[in-house]
Amino acid sequence: MKYHNITPPYFFENYSENYTRLTTLGREQTKRLVRNPRFSFLSDSEYNNKELIDLGVDTEKTSILAPFHKIEILASLIKEQEEIVSLLKNNGCINVLFVGRVAPNKGHLNICHVVDSYRKFYDENIKFWIIGGYDQEVNLYNQEIENLIQTNQLVNNIIFTNKISAETLKSFFVGCDIFLCLSEHEGFGVPLIEAQFFEKPIVALNRAAVKETIGKNQIAIDQFNSDYLASVIHTIGNDQEIYDYLVLQGSNNFKSRFSLKVLKKRFEEYIDNYVRIGEYI
């Protein structure tokens, strides 16, 4: 059984009775499934795997393999849109990117606070591009974000794109300067390794599987502090040596752990081992 994770229900309690109910049911279902002695589990991350072990799964029946992805396909077969890349490269701003659906666990409210801090301490020359679809099921959360943007006059600094095409997504990864992830819960986080593939430094909150995913020598901050995060973004955006170091370490993390070649080899090894075990069952 491939296991990715189910977002904890408490993230939705103030926004959606339906999602609270569904995620609660999903987590209860997981507890039932792990009791089935016929199952072995293949988790996306150590974080996800630990959840299963904590529920009582024998360590010997668990393995870890990051999810297959389309990052290299996106890079090689899809052409970016030059007008978007040019806009980002020439707008005179530090362009910060986040990719993830608009949901309570994804940290959009915290992003707004970081933007506000940046403007107070530094200048207006920053834009945060937030890519991901809206969900009307959590409309109260959407409204909280909008209210925060309006109250703090952040309209010119925070841009929500909603869902976009693959060509546009690639354009933002190519054109933006920094990837920011303030998500409170990620079972893995494919956009994190997308950012590393496209050689963007990452600033992240150390939650769930985030630090594990981005690897060593990357910035994963334990406690949320909007002023501190604003200073980190300002430093990276204005210090080429730090910028290049983070890019190099992130790129090495992707190549050594998450390239399709690496994932293919590890999956084949897992299947070969599983088949050998099956011969004795």
Side-chain angles (χ1 to χ4, degrees):
M1 179 170 291
K2 192 77 168 70
Y3 180 64
H4 176 70
N5 205 289
I6 295 170
T7 306
Y10 61 80
F11 283 109
F12 302 104
E13 286 176 353
N14 294 329
Y15 304 105
S16 168
E17 290 183 7
N18 186 38
Y19 283 178
T20 302
R21 179 181 63 84
L22 290 174
T23 50
T24 299
L25 289 173
R27 287 192 160 251
E28 290 300 319
Q29 183 183 54
T30 303
K31 293 177 183 178
R32 294 197 302 273
L33 290 172
V34 299
R35 293 197 293 267
N36 191 319
R38 296 177 298 167
F39 288 153
S40 292
F41 295 87
L42 186 59
S43 299
D44 284 350
S45 63
E46 290 181 11
Y47 174 83
N48 290 338
N49 202 56
K50 185 177 183 303
E51 278 203 348
L52 297 177
I53 293 171
D54 288 346
L55 289 173
V57 177
D58 186 342
T59 305
E60 296 297 319
K61 300 187 74 172
T62 69
S63 298
I64 300 168
L65 180 72
F68 287 102
H69 54 75
K70 298 181 180 180
I71 300 170
E72 287 147 296
I73 297 171
L74 178 69
S76 62
L77 299 181
I78 297 175
K79 184 173 176 55
E80 63 268 27
Q81 298 166 325
E82 290 299 332
E83 63 274 17
I84 293 178
V85 175
S86 178
L87 168 67
L88 296 168
K89 295 288 188 182
N90 298 300
N91 64 5
C93 295
I94 296 175
N95 292 280
V96 183
L97 178 66
F98 175 65
V99 178
R101 73 188 188 282
V102 182
N105 60 300
K106 294 292 184 177
H108 298 86
L109 295 172
N110 283 341
I111 291 176
C112 294
H113 290 302
V114 172
V115 180
D116 190 44
S117 290
Y118 190 96
R119 290 172 67 244
K120 288 177 181 177
F121 285 104
Y122 301 106
D123 52 49
E124 293 282 344
N125 300 323
I126 191 160
K127 290 190 182 297
F128 285 66
W129 303 88
I130 302 177
I131 295 172
Y134 283 98
D135 185 349
Q136 296 308 309
E137 181 68 32
V138 290
N139 196 50
L140 288 175
Y141 178 69
N142 302 336
Q143 193 59 55
E144 279 187 28
I145 297 170
E146 182 61 27
N147 291 343
L148 194 55
I149 290 173
Q150 295 296 332
T151 300
N152 294 317
Q153 300 179 335
L154 305 175
V155 176
N156 293 327
N157 305 99
I158 301 178
I159 301 95
F160 282 79
T161 69
N162 213 325
K163 293 182 179 180
I164 58 176
S165 67
E167 291 83 2
T168 305
L169 177 62
K170 181 181 178 181
S171 304
F172 275 99
F173 271 115
V174 171
C176 282
D177 303 298
I178 298 169
F179 190 89
L180 176 67
C181 177
L182 301 183
S183 178
E184 294 284 350
H185 186 268
E186 295 289 343
F188 180 78
V190 171
L192 293 166
I193 62 172
E194 288 176 330
Q196 291 183 328
F197 177 87
F198 285 104
E199 300 188 335
K200 304 302 171 184
I202 293 173
V203 177
L205 201 56
N206 181 14
R207 296 290 185 271
V210 171
K211 186 174 183 178
E212 170 195 342
T213 302
I214 62 179
K216 299 177 181 178
N217 304 315
Q218 297 286 278
I219 296 176
I221 296 166
D222 290 334
Q223 298 297 324
F224 174 78
N225 182 302
S226 62
D227 295 347
Y228 181 69
L229 282 159
S231 71
V232 171
I233 290 169
H234 184 265
T235 300
I236 295 171
N238 290 279
D239 190 316
Q240 194 63 47
E241 186 175 355
I242 293 175
Y243 189 100
D244 292 343
Y245 176 82
L246 292 172
V247 165
L248 176 62
Q249 297 300 315
S251 179
N252 289 342
N253 183 62
F254 178 89
K255 291 174 183 176
S256 63
R257 299 174 64 203
F258 302 123
S259 69
L260 287 178
K261 181 179 179 181
V262 169
L263 296 181
K264 178 176 181 291
K265 182 174 183 297
R266 290 179 178 171
F267 183 64
E268 290 172 344
E269 290 172 350
Y270 171 78
I271 293 298
D272 288 344
N273 184 58
Y274 194 85
V275 169
R276 283 195 297 272
I277 292 171
E279 292 174 355
Y280 300 101
I281 295 178

